[in-house]
Amino acid sequence: MFANLLPPQVHVFVRDWLSANHVLLKSRDGHVLIDSGYVRHAPLTLALLDSARGLAGEPLAKLVNTHGHSDHIGGNAAVARKYGCPIAVPQGEARAFDEWDQRVLLLDYAGQRADRFTVDEVIPPGASNVWGDLEWQALAAPGHDMGALVFWNPEHRILISGDALWQHGFGLVLPRELDPAALPATRATLDAIAALDARVVIPGHGEPFTDVAAALERAYARLAAFETDSVRVARYVAKALLSFTLLDVRRMSLTELPAHFADVGIYRDLNAAVFRMPPADMAALIVGELERAGAIRRDGGFLVTA
Ligand SMILES: [Zn+2]
């Protein structure tokens, strides 16, 4: 499996789509954890962290986040409470955390939740950190999240990519009508990642992978399609967010779905800027696409994940 691709002090806990992966970088100088999962699954995060594969009872020196989304920061408060460790965040996200900005952090604004926490340190782009006895360069990776960082180890050519690059795609990006900078930034970030010539990518979701060129090719293809079609971008965003909410709340009443699309800020904004249809029609469009893709299904009067 992927363990033999990585130096022994790099431990990856592959999670799912509700919780981002955790990367534990172990060292006698103090263990460092990158990303903490979604708040609903914080108990599982703590259990994994405490396990024999994890800290096995040893202290945690620091928690670091790649970016400010709920599936990466949701366990921050619980981890800091348990281990009493400082939390270090990308410089570009610090203000959103301090102000607990629901829109920038895609919390209430996107129908998501997280426990509030206190930022102890900020990591500027260009900073170099030694975690797990390895050098990790913090590189700006705006696009999916405009304040995101990725962490690059030049010695082993390992990239901790967060949601900037997955094996099959990347995290949702807002259409130009909602953020004119997002798609161009995504392209610049893919270019920067391509120039690294990474050997292994540890993504925020899915297993670590080595076929980086193929992943970049898929990412560029998706991006090119997005750049020419805002409706396609908006459909992708709405589908990703509705799938995520279903993973969180487990089931949603079909009769309440139009109100959900009318009430949750990001759907309202996507609709006003791109779809321009009654909320019930937007709900039917998004649900229909997810059903045809086999991602969700109806169960009586409810929507559930397939
Ligand atoms: Zn994200």
Side-chain angles (χ1 to χ4, degrees):
M1 284 250 300
F2 60 80
N4 55 13
L5 298 171
L6 300 168
Q9 65 269 45
V10 178
H11 301 259
V12 181
F13 295 83
V14 175
R15 300 291 297 270
D16 53 18
W17 290 97
L18 190 61
S19 284
N21 295 340
H22 316 297
V23 185
L24 182 60
L25 302 165
K26 295 176 86 170
S27 165
R28 272 195 224 158
D29 295 334
H31 309 313
V32 174
L33 178 71
I34 299 181
D35 286 342
S36 66
Y38 192 68
V39 63
R40 172 190 274 282
H41 289 158
L44 176 55
T45 299
L46 292 179
L48 288 169
L49 202 49
D50 196 38
S51 69
R53 275 180 64 222
L55 294 165
E58 293 186 10
L60 183 65
K62 188 179 293 192
L63 170 58
V64 175
N65 293 124
T66 55
H67 65 290
H69 289 158
S70 66
D71 50 334
H72 298 254
I73 62 157
N76 278 18
V79 169
R81 214 178 299 127
K82 174 159 180 183
Y83 290 97
C85 63
I87 297 175
V89 305
Q91 186 178 56
E93 308 278 33
R95 185 168 164 187
F97 288 131
D98 285 343
E99 296 172 357
W100 206 240
D101 185 326
Q102 302 281 321
R103 190 177 194 286
V104 171
L105 301 175
L106 297 184
L107 293 175
D108 277 357
Y109 178 66
Q112 300 178 12
R113 301 176 292 124
D115 281 344
R116 195 166 180 169
F117 60 90
T118 307
V119 171
D120 301 290
E121 269 176 52
V122 297
I123 305 172
S128 181
N129 301 278
V130 177
W131 299 325
D133 302 321
L134 298 167
E135 185 203 357
W136 296 95
Q137 296 170 358
L139 308 177
H144 162 70
D145 179 311
M146 295 307 282
L149 293 176
V150 295
F151 300 110
W152 168 242
N153 172 254
E155 183 189 354
H156 297 278
R157 291 170 37 229
I158 302 169
L159 182 71
I160 297 172
S161 66
D163 291 345
L165 179 68
W166 299 332
Q167 190 163 16
H168 298 274
F170 44 79
L172 64 84
V173 178
L174 294 178
R176 68 181 94 249
E177 288 79 357
L178 296 197
D179 184 350
L183 284 167
T186 301
R187 180 164 285 280
T189 290
L190 290 180
D191 289 347
I193 290 175
L196 295 173
D197 190 24
R199 184 180 59 86
V200 189
V201 171
I202 303 174
H205 302 272
E207 294 205 347
F209 59 90
T210 54
D211 51 346
V212 182
L216 280 164
E217 207 171 300
R218 284 187 288 267
Y220 277 119
R222 172 172 291 181
L223 178 62
F226 282 173
E227 284 167 338
T228 57
D229 187 351
S230 283
V231 175
R232 185 165 173 169
V233 185
R235 285 203 320 256
Y236 181 84
V237 171
K239 285 190 286 185
L241 291 173
L242 186 65
S243 305
F244 188 88
T245 296
L246 269 175
L247 286 173
D248 182 13
V249 304
R250 310 285 169 84
R251 57 204 290 122
M252 296 174 81
S253 158
L254 280 161
T255 54
E256 285 165 21
L257 216 54
H260 183 73
F261 276 77
D263 292 345
V264 174
I266 193 164
Y267 297 123
R268 213 167 46 222
D269 287 352
L270 287 170
N271 199 359
V274 182
F275 295 115
R276 298 179 192 163
M277 51 176 66
D281 291 359
M282 181 180 168
L285 172 77
I286 300 306
V287 167
E289 286 200 16
L290 283 170
E291 278 184 309
R292 282 192 294 281
I296 64 173
R297 62 184 175 81
R298 286 162 204 249
D299 179 15
F302 293 88
L303 220 48
V304 296
T305 50

